[in-house]
Amino acid sequence: MNIAMLGSGFIGRFYADSLQGYRSKDKIVSIYSRKEESAKKFAADYKVPFLTTKMEEAIARTEVEVVCISLPNNIHEEAVMLCCKHKKAVITTKPLGRNAAEAQRMLEAVEKAGIFNGYLEDLVYTPKFIKAHESVKNGALGRILWAKSRETHPGPHSDWFWDIEQAGGGCILDLGCHCVEIARSYIGKDVRPVEVMCWADTQVKPIDAEDHAIGLVKYENGAIGQFEVSWTFRGGLDLRDEVMGTEGTIWINNFLRTGFEMFTTGKSADYVAEKAESNSGWLFPVGDELNELGYNHMFMDMFNAMEKGIAPKETFYDGYVVNTILDAAYKSAKSKLWEPVQLNIWRGRTGVSKDSHLQSYDSEHYLVKEEVTHYGAKKAILKNKKTGKIIERVE
């Protein structure tokens, strides 16, 4: 595939490293940047033949087959509309929009234009997530009750993130989009999110947006999703997930504790890992950031789907659903109430009821719990189906 990259900054370079480093048959042939000097450096570093500071020029070139958007949030819609105009396949970094209204306009536009669309949510492509998600799909955890995702770090790299007008929000939009899609994937993307309760505050940074937030997302089947996000965490990039079901639990640490530990005085240490705050003392390097953060699997899915003429695992529709959930989170943070998720477009299951939590032990009793005690007794806690009385049986 011949790619036009829109944006030459931090995320654009991560994308370029993955695109040209592993699937070497894919090449960036056009680079757009808002700053000419940045475009020139990107073009030189990645051997890109065409550079421009005019977005449409980068997209419209005849050799371009797919456009990769790695721009500030407030420019996503403009870029997507140009892709629709020139009938170019488009893949975009997260979040899809600054809000659900923007996201819906982009979703409807790409579908009307009939172009391939992919949502670059890398954290549902990490090797650990893929393995864990497969176990969940195969029923290893039983019925999923709770999925929690945490992403915290000292704050993003570029100036526009800190401007609420350009970014559209703070850490909820920047990091919560990851966490919501992770939890949603474990619970089931065909299960409707119904309401959100969220706390958010600006605790440390001199900005108008929130720098710390915690939220709960209630799903139609009774499952709960939880996100913990912060730009105030000290100590690097903390990516952790937990999934709990009726038959099991999964804990994942994606980044900060990966089994690679190193001590150095810092005299010759350089880059350690994304958002690492120190290059001396005890450090926790990441063996292959592109792979551990999901970029390789993500682009493989996107380009393989394009070649096969099918939808990728993450599309603009997924980005739209995430935006609707985050809109409800922002409303809840202000109202201090559970706020409904306003989904104008829903393509999942409808009328899903909460699964029964009642497990029969025998014809007269439900099972509450079974255990073997430290002194060897086998104990069953039971509830009478008719009277509701709780009893225990010991063998």
PDB file of all heavy atoms in Angstrom, residues 9 53 66 87 97 122 206 231 248 361 379 382:
ATOM      1  N   GLY A   9       4.484  14.285  13.792  1.00  0.00           N
ATOM      2  CA  GLY A   9       4.932  14.374  15.177  1.00  0.00           C
ATOM      3  C   GLY A   9       5.090  13.018  15.846  1.00  0.00           C
ATOM      4  O   GLY A   9       5.384  12.003  15.202  1.00  0.00           O
ATOM      5  N   THR A  53       2.871  21.223   3.005  1.00  0.00           N
ATOM      6  CA  THR A  53       2.165  21.824   4.145  1.00  0.00           C
ATOM      7  C   THR A  53       0.701  22.078   3.779  1.00  0.00           C
ATOM      8  O   THR A  53      -0.002  22.764   4.505  1.00  0.00           O
ATOM      9  CB  THR A  53       2.847  23.144   4.575  1.00  0.00           C
ATOM     10  OG1 THR A  53       2.903  24.031   3.453  1.00  0.00           O
ATOM     11  CG2 THR A  53       4.253  22.893   5.109  1.00  0.00           C
ATOM     12  N   VAL A  66      -4.034   4.927   0.612  1.00  0.00           N
ATOM     13  CA  VAL A  66      -4.632   5.024   1.942  1.00  0.00           C
ATOM     14  C   VAL A  66      -4.025   6.207   2.683  1.00  0.00           C
ATOM     15  O   VAL A  66      -2.834   6.491   2.540  1.00  0.00           O
ATOM     16  CB  VAL A  66      -4.441   3.714   2.740  1.00  0.00           C
ATOM     17  CG1 VAL A  66      -2.974   3.327   2.849  1.00  0.00           C
ATOM     18  CG2 VAL A  66      -5.045   3.813   4.133  1.00  0.00           C
ATOM     19  N   LYS A  87     -11.955   9.914  -2.430  1.00  0.00           N
ATOM     20  CA  LYS A  87     -12.207   8.472  -2.410  1.00  0.00           C
ATOM     21  C   LYS A  87     -10.969   7.673  -1.998  1.00  0.00           C
ATOM     22  O   LYS A  87     -10.603   6.671  -2.630  1.00  0.00           O
ATOM     23  CB  LYS A  87     -12.693   7.995  -3.782  1.00  0.00           C
ATOM     24  CG  LYS A  87     -13.953   8.689  -4.281  1.00  0.00           C
ATOM     25  CD  LYS A  87     -15.170   8.352  -3.408  1.00  0.00           C
ATOM     26  CE  LYS A  87     -16.437   8.973  -3.991  1.00  0.00           C
ATOM     27  NZ  LYS A  87     -17.635   8.727  -3.158  1.00  0.00           N
ATOM     28  N   GLY A  97     -13.326  11.636  17.179  1.00  0.00           N
ATOM     29  CA  GLY A  97     -13.696  13.044  17.201  1.00  0.00           C
ATOM     30  C   GLY A  97     -13.502  13.646  18.582  1.00  0.00           C
ATOM     31  O   GLY A  97     -13.206  12.945  19.549  1.00  0.00           O
ATOM     32  N   ASP A 122      -4.804   1.217  19.162  1.00  0.00           N
ATOM     33  CA  ASP A 122      -3.724   0.236  19.242  1.00  0.00           C
ATOM     34  C   ASP A 122      -3.804  -0.679  20.465  1.00  0.00           C
ATOM     35  O   ASP A 122      -3.348  -1.824  20.427  1.00  0.00           O
ATOM     36  CB  ASP A 122      -2.358   0.942  19.230  1.00  0.00           C
ATOM     37  CG  ASP A 122      -2.192   1.933  20.367  1.00  0.00           C
ATOM     38  OD1 ASP A 122      -2.857   2.985  20.357  1.00  0.00           O
ATOM     39  OD2 ASP A 122      -1.384   1.674  21.270  1.00  0.00           O
ATOM     40  N   PRO A 206      -1.860  23.268  35.187  1.00  0.00           N
ATOM     41  CA  PRO A 206      -2.501  24.580  35.017  1.00  0.00           C
ATOM     42  C   PRO A 206      -3.262  24.658  33.693  1.00  0.00           C
ATOM     43  O   PRO A 206      -2.914  25.438  32.797  1.00  0.00           O
ATOM     44  CB  PRO A 206      -1.315  25.550  35.050  1.00  0.00           C
ATOM     45  CG  PRO A 206      -0.196  24.754  34.457  1.00  0.00           C
ATOM     46  CD  PRO A 206      -0.405  23.333  34.905  1.00  0.00           C
ATOM     47  N   TRP A 231      -3.290  12.370  33.894  1.00  0.00           N
ATOM     48  CA  TRP A 231      -2.075  13.017  33.412  1.00  0.00           C
ATOM     49  C   TRP A 231      -1.201  13.466  34.590  1.00  0.00           C
ATOM     50  O   TRP A 231      -0.266  14.234  34.403  1.00  0.00           O
ATOM     51  CB  TRP A 231      -2.432  14.247  32.580  1.00  0.00           C
ATOM     52  CG  TRP A 231      -2.967  13.975  31.218  1.00  0.00           C
ATOM     53  CD1 TRP A 231      -2.958  12.811  30.525  1.00  0.00           C
ATOM     54  CD2 TRP A 231      -3.578  14.944  30.345  1.00  0.00           C
ATOM     55  NE1 TRP A 231      -3.535  12.968  29.277  1.00  0.00           N
ATOM     56  CE2 TRP A 231      -3.927  14.272  29.148  1.00  0.00           C
ATOM     57  CE3 TRP A 231      -3.870  16.304  30.458  1.00  0.00           C
ATOM     58  CZ2 TRP A 231      -4.542  14.932  28.084  1.00  0.00           C
ATOM     59  CZ3 TRP A 231      -4.489  16.953  29.396  1.00  0.00           C
ATOM     60  CH2 TRP A 231      -4.821  16.271  28.217  1.00  0.00           C
ATOM     61  N   GLY A 248     -13.558 -16.902  36.380  1.00  0.00           N
ATOM     62  CA  GLY A 248     -12.132 -16.602  36.405  1.00  0.00           C
ATOM     63  C   GLY A 248     -11.822 -15.119  36.330  1.00  0.00           C
ATOM     64  O   GLY A 248     -12.714 -14.270  36.238  1.00  0.00           O
ATOM     65  N   TYR A 361     -28.212 -25.898  43.114  1.00  0.00           N
ATOM     66  CA  TYR A 361     -27.402 -26.918  43.781  1.00  0.00           C
ATOM     67  C   TYR A 361     -28.142 -28.262  43.758  1.00  0.00           C
ATOM     68  O   TYR A 361     -27.562 -29.288  43.478  1.00  0.00           O
ATOM     69  CB  TYR A 361     -27.106 -26.486  45.210  1.00  0.00           C
ATOM     70  CG  TYR A 361     -26.272 -27.473  45.988  1.00  0.00           C
ATOM     71  CD1 TYR A 361     -24.896 -27.534  45.814  1.00  0.00           C
ATOM     72  CD2 TYR A 361     -26.863 -28.332  46.919  1.00  0.00           C
ATOM     73  CE1 TYR A 361     -24.120 -28.448  46.525  1.00  0.00           C
ATOM     74  CE2 TYR A 361     -26.103 -29.245  47.637  1.00  0.00           C
ATOM     75  CZ  TYR A 361     -24.731 -29.295  47.442  1.00  0.00           C
ATOM     76  OH  TYR A 361     -23.967 -30.190  48.150  1.00  0.00           O
ATOM     77  N   LYS A 379     -17.488 -27.627  52.456  1.00  0.00           N
ATOM     78  CA  LYS A 379     -18.633 -26.837  52.893  1.00  0.00           C
ATOM     79  C   LYS A 379     -19.367 -26.254  51.685  1.00  0.00           C
ATOM     80  O   LYS A 379     -18.742 -25.774  50.729  1.00  0.00           O
ATOM     81  CB  LYS A 379     -18.176 -25.708  53.810  1.00  0.00           C
ATOM     82  CG  LYS A 379     -19.303 -24.842  54.363  1.00  0.00           C
ATOM     83  CD  LYS A 379     -18.761 -23.708  55.220  1.00  0.00           C
ATOM     84  CE  LYS A 379     -18.246 -24.223  56.546  1.00  0.00           C
ATOM     85  NZ  LYS A 379     -17.913 -23.111  57.466  1.00  0.00           N
ATOM     86  N   LEU A 382     -25.828 -22.608  50.944  1.00  0.00           N
ATOM     87  CA  LEU A 382     -26.992 -22.786  50.083  1.00  0.00           C
ATOM     88  C   LEU A 382     -28.115 -21.837  50.465  1.00  0.00           C
ATOM     89  O   LEU A 382     -28.202 -21.377  51.605  1.00  0.00           O
ATOM     90  CB  LEU A 382     -27.503 -24.235  50.186  1.00  0.00           C
ATOM     91  CG  LEU A 382     -26.480 -25.349  49.966  1.00  0.00           C
ATOM     92  CD1 LEU A 382     -27.107 -26.699  50.262  1.00  0.00           C
ATOM     93  CD2 LEU A 382     -25.923 -25.297  48.553  1.00  0.00           C
TER      94      LEU A 382
END
